[in-house]
Amino acid sequence: MSVTKKDVKYVADLAHLQLTEDESESLVHDMNQILDFMTTLEEVDTSDVEPLEHVIDLEYRLRDDKAEEPLPHEDALKNAPDADSDYFRVPRVIE
């Protein structure tokens, strides 16, 4: 299977993109290279490879999920640019 300019135009229309002629040509070339690479990957024998949830082992990187005491208000507000007693003060964004 190869990508044509018609395919690129179709996908660009779905994404509401306006492509120049040069961009369309470039995308045809790039997409065909991607498909060629995928064909190469299909030839790799993966019968002895176990499925993974993550590409790296995250088992030892996670901390225990345990309840702790909440941060005191004073410590939470210590680095706030502006605070009002127990609350963060932020600039108004809706008028």
Side-chain angles (χ1 to χ4, degrees), residues 69-88:
E69 289 296 317
L71 193 63
H73 279 0
E74 298 81 30
D75 291 346
L77 296 173
K78 190 185 317 180
N79 291 324
D82 193 10
D84 178 21
S85 66
D86 293 335
Y87 304 102
F88 287 95

Side-chain angles (χ1 to χ4, degrees), residues 9-20:
K9 182 180 178 344
Y10 177 72
V11 173
D13 287 343
L14 288 175
H16 300 288
L17 298 175
Q18 294 179 349
L19 302 175
T20 65

Side-chain angles (χ1 to χ4, degrees), residues 3-12 19 24 27-28 31:
V3 177
T4 64
K5 282 177 94 172
K6 181 179 177 183
D7 297 326
V8 169
K9 182 180 178 344
Y10 177 72
V11 173
L19 302 175
S24 294
L27 281 173
V28 167
M31 292 174 99

Side-chain angles (χ1 to χ4, degrees), residues 9-93:
K9 182 180 178 344
Y10 177 72
V11 173
D13 287 343
L14 288 175
H16 300 288
L17 298 175
Q18 294 179 349
L19 302 175
T20 65
E21 195 64 30
D22 289 341
E23 290 171 331
S24 294
E25 296 275 341
S26 178
L27 281 173
V28 167
H29 178 263
D30 292 346
M31 292 174 99
N32 280 319
Q33 277 189 321
I34 291 169
L35 289 176
D36 289 342
F37 182 69
M38 296 306 293
T39 303
T40 304
L41 286 178
E42 286 177 351
E43 297 170 4
V44 176
D45 179 24
T46 59
S47 58
D48 294 334
V49 178
E50 289 187 38
L52 298 172
E53 289 181 16
H54 299 281
V55 293
I56 58 173
D57 185 17
L58 295 177
E59 184 177 339
Y60 301 108
R61 298 178 189 264
L62 302 176
R63 63 175 172 79
D64 290 336
D65 189 17
K66 59 183 178 184
E68 295 180 357
E69 289 296 317
L71 193 63
H73 279 0
E74 298 81 30
D75 291 346
L77 296 173
K78 190 185 317 180
N79 291 324
D82 193 10
D84 178 21
S85 66
D86 293 335
Y87 304 102
F88 287 95
R89 186 178 296 223
V90 296
R92 184 181 207 140
V93 291

